[in-house]
Amino acid sequence: MTLPRTLTILVATVTTISAVLADLVVPDLAAQHVHNPGWPPHAKFHDAQYVVMTVLLGLVGLALAARPGPTLRARLLCADAVVATPWLGMLGALLFPGTAAYDPEFADQTVFVLGLHGQIFMAVVLLLVLIGSAAGALRMSVHHPVVPVSEGSSRATLSS
């Protein structure tokens, strides 16, 4: 398995499970999200929408990156773009007026890494990994090599 493919699959897996864990399952984190009694139902709806969307984007990325066959380069580039979407959305959300990475009542429970909120730090790291994966994918040949299967047939592709 190529390094770009491994990196994409790793980030797609993290993407698929991270929002479910952070917003729904891990008690201390979920209390700040969908289980936060201070959030109105519509805010919880949008958090749940984000969780479902992130799982779906992660699964699409996994399907694109894990499927064997030709056109691996193109599939990896698409997978990287798909999997980057929720992480770019997280960073972009900070640009809207009145938004914050955490609610003030949870300031003492918030984890910061290198001065960044933990989720924001994770988004930056995963986006850098995806940039590395995309750079590696761009260095790959456009088509995988093909070899004859038998004298009577045309060509078959090698698995990726």
Side-chain angles (χ1 to χ4, degrees):
M1 186 174 309
T2 66
L3 180 59
R5 177 184 248 178
T6 302
L7 293 174
T8 299
I9 289 172
L10 173 71
V11 176
T13 302
V14 170
T15 301
T16 302
I17 63 173
S18 63
V20 172
L21 292 175
D23 292 21
L24 199 58
V25 175
V26 177
D28 288 345
L29 297 173
Q32 299 178 42
H33 296 94
V34 86
H35 296 301
N36 185 342
W39 279 19
H42 190 68
K44 291 181 181 189
F45 166 81
H46 282 293
D47 185 52
Q49 177 187 21
Y50 172 79
V51 170
V52 172
M53 177 186 63
T54 300
V55 168
L56 293 173
L57 290 169
L59 291 173
V60 168
L62 278 170
L64 287 167
R67 194 182 106 216
T71 69
L72 177 61
R73 176 183 175 187
R75 284 185 288 112
L76 284 179
L77 292 172
C78 286
D80 289 342
V82 166
V83 174
T85 301
W87 305 110
L88 290 169
M90 185 180 291
L91 297 179
L94 293 172
L95 301 174
F96 284 76
T99 63
Y102 61 94
D103 289 321
E105 71 263 25
F106 296 104
D108 59 336
Q109 299 171 23
T110 301
V111 175
F112 289 89
V113 181
L114 300 175
L116 296 173
H117 182 277
Q119 285 181 303
I120 302 303
F121 178 80
M122 187 166 111
V124 169
V125 168
L126 293 175
L127 288 167
L128 290 172
V129 171
L130 289 172
I131 289 169
S133 173
L138 288 170
R139 294 179 56 117
M140 298 169 74
S141 69
V142 175
H143 300 287
H144 284 280
V146 290
V147 295
V149 172
S150 68
E151 294 288 313
S153 66
S154 57
R155 300 185 303 174
T157 61
L158 293 175
S159 66
S160 309

